[in-house]
Amino acid sequence: MTEFGKPPRVFLLDGASLLAARRRVYDGDPALSASDQRLLQDAEDAGAVGPFSVVHKASPGPGGDVHDYVSQAPYWWPDPDIANGLPYVRRDGELNPERDVHDLHALAALCSAVNTLAVAWFYSEHEDFAERAGLLLRTWFLDPQTRMNPHLMYAQSIAGSCPGRAKGIIDAAQLAVLVDSVGLLEGAAAWTEEDHQGMVQWMSEYLSWLLDSKFGQQERQQVSHHGTFYDVQVLALALFTGNQSAADVVASRAAARLEQQVEADGSQPGELARTRSLSCSALNLTGLFDLADLGLHCKVDLWQHEGNDGRCLRRALDWLVTNAIDSEWIRPQVEPYDEAQWVPLLRRATQRSGDSQYVARIAKLPDIGPETEERSLLLYPDPV
């Protein structure tokens, strides 16, 4: 059993806040009762999915090894002016349904299910949740018959052009959340020290590929959400595997990355130039929030950083809130933005700033009901 006096080993989430919320759940706090019940139901549902594996796809992909992760670039389509459609051409913001083949959705489903099960185990200590999470993790990362090779050489391929791209590294951005899920499982009988060390070994090998490969070095140079989430992955995995020197290097450049992408008024011109400008702006802000939370473990406080002309996280958030919540978004957005994604952003902002105006904005979102907020109440609980 996880002791109440010991916060979980997490990096994106605030361990002390989680522990305090866990005490409230155990004490029957009515403010968290609905959230707890919804979480238990979600975990029951998550226990019915998977297990997932890269070996389950129909063909092994360009490298010939079925253990390689494979995905297709999302915005590339057959050329209508060429008989065989090759090479594919880019249509920014338009998702090609062919990308549903291969491993992209399996990885997303794995990370989502493990997160739900791990959070549910942390709050309930129902061992069956940890057992299922352990099975999902071992199948994807550890079992020699089903494990993924620790690289992304064949992610976001373009038919007729390239078997993989540096931009494919963003496919695994969810691994930063996954390592927090693993941290929440510590203390569960179903998640052993051998399991944990196996995950550390896999993540260490993947981290080395991120740092040393040509693709990794290319993605690090991107001044966009791609570069942001490259840094998020490296920083989270470095902290998880105990590579403090690698973590410190990334944390030390977090302020420069923010100032490269956020203008003095808080706008993000690189993301606003996209056809999904709101989605990309909110996504990049989420990544910058992630860097801020991870940087705290390296004694770097991006939450409080302010550049010479006022470039900072708070201005970036305020600009988005003003232009997308308080008023109608007037820039290109080729598909509707999922307003549920605002909820964790606003709760995180309130948790880190202490300013309740952000969480109060949730009430202004027309399509958000209490059930959408429930998980975020447990991940980013209100102070008491």
Side-chain angles (χ1 to χ4, degrees), residues 303-304 314 317 348-358:
W303 289 108
Q304 300 300 321
R314 183 150 186 163
L317 175 61
R348 288 174 81 178
T350 290
Q351 187 181 71
R352 290 307 187 190
S353 69
D355 190 338
S356 61
Q357 68 157 310
Y358 296 115

Side-chain angles (χ1 to χ4, degrees), residues 54-76:
V54 290
V55 307
H56 293 162
K57 56 182 172 286
S59 59
D65 187 342
V66 74
H67 293 274
D68 290 336
Y69 175 91
V70 177
S71 68
Q72 181 172 314
Y75 305 133
W76 292 78

Side-chain angles (χ1 to χ4, degrees), residues 257-337:
R257 187 171 289 287
L258 183 154
E259 292 185 39
Q260 283 179 316
Q261 298 183 70
V262 176
E263 291 295 299
D265 67 352
S267 64
Q268 302 173 60
E271 308 302 333
L272 292 175
R274 303 295 300 272
T275 59
R276 299 167 70 244
S277 59
L278 176 54
S279 297
C280 290
S281 295
L283 177 64
N284 193 50
L285 184 61
T286 298
L288 293 172
F289 275 24
D290 289 348
L291 283 181
D293 280 332
L294 294 167
L296 295 174
H297 299 274
C298 303
K299 298 181 173 60
V300 172
D301 192 349
L302 192 63
W303 289 108
Q304 300 300 321
H305 172 78
E306 185 170 321
N308 291 333
D309 56 1
R311 300 176 191 226
C312 62
L313 277 180
R314 183 150 186 163
R315 283 196 183 181
L317 175 61
D318 288 346
W319 191 93
L320 271 182
V321 166
T322 298
N323 288 277
I325 297 179
D326 294 345
S327 58
E328 184 177 356
W329 188 257
I330 60 173
R331 292 162 179 83
Q333 177 67 25
V334 296
E335 64 180 16
Y337 181 67

